Amino acid sequence: EPEVTQTPSHQVTQMGQEVILRCVPISNHLYFYWYRQILGQKVEFLVSFYNNEISEKSEIFDDQFSVERPDGSNFTLKIRSTKLEDSAMYFCASRDRGDFTGELFFGEGSRLTVL
Amino acid sequence: QKEVEQDPGPLSVPEGAIVSLNCTYSNSAFQYFMWYRQYSRKGPELLMYTYSSGNKEDGRFTAQVDKSSKYISLFIRDSQPSDSATYLCAMSRFTTSGTYKYIFGTGTRLKVLA
């Protein structure tokens, strides 16, 4: 069964360091998303991406964040200078169609711990 | 006012009980309503989705939407210990950028006791 894969599963970093989280969406999917879930809290929308550009972003997704689809298969989230409050589980998700019958598929998540 | 509100629980029920999970929302632009299930340290998985007011059944699960009250529910019949998970309601609306934006509730943690 096709799935969204994310790496790393867990990353520990020092405050101020750059982090790149990687995602391989399902191959025929067109729409890509990043969500964040701080421990015990809600799943929060960060950004959506379609046709090689950001289509929507939340207020959380400030200048420290960027996304890229560098090679047609990977979809990355970069945090330029991590803060303690960036510690969270980051989920990548993808869907295959513009009409709603496309399910949003989530990866297993990348846990980021900022010390 | 939050766009989507959901009681975080936790909710503990005995095996075989009927479980009722609920969410309210404030934005009438939401068109599609979903329930996701999330096991500990895993990504959410879609359980059910619907786009119209009324009920939709799938096995032991029933999703109910009342657009006039901006209220959605998920009912689980004959609950099993394997149903123990966090249940997230989610809603989506079409955006001016041509995509769907999904907003999630906080999730209700359910524990079904054997």
Side-chain angles (χ1 to χ4, degrees), chain B residues 3 5-6 13 15 32 47 60 72 75 81 88 95 110:
Chain B
E3 277 194 290
E5 302 228 34
Q6 182 177 10
V13 300
E15 183 175 358
Y32 301 101
L47 265 181
R60 296 185 294 112
I72 72 169
F75 299 97
L88 306 160
T95 70
L110 172 67

Side-chain angles (χ1 to χ4, degrees), chain B residues 27-54:
Chain B
N27 191 342
S28 56
F30 286 129
Q31 298 168 288
Y32 301 101
F33 307 91
M34 295 140 278
W35 286 95
Y36 279 78
R37 180 172 58 197
Q38 185 179 26
Y39 291 110
S40 183
R41 303 191 187 285
K42 299 285 189 183
E45 294 175 295
L46 182 68
L47 265 181
M48 297 186 73
Y49 78 87
T50 186
Y51 54 86
S52 56
S53 282

Side-chain angles (χ1 to χ4, degrees), chain A residues 25-75:
Chain A
I26 295 172
S27 63
N28 61 336
H29 284 193
L30 303 174
Y31 300 84
F32 312 110
Y33 300 77
W34 282 102
Y35 283 83
R36 177 180 85 175
Q37 187 176 33
I38 294 170
L39 186 64
Q41 297 187 27
K42 67 187 293 183
V43 174
E44 297 177 293
F45 170 75
L46 290 178
V47 66
S48 59
F49 191 88
Y50 168 68
N51 201 25
N52 285 319
E53 61 183 21
I54 291 173
S55 42
E56 187 111 359
K57 59 183 180 179
S58 73
E59 58 276 7
I60 301 168
F61 194 88
D62 61 21
D63 292 344
Q64 293 299 313
F65 291 87
S66 62
V67 289
E68 204 174 42
R69 188 155 159 81
D71 57 12
S73 62
N74 290 285
F75 179 49

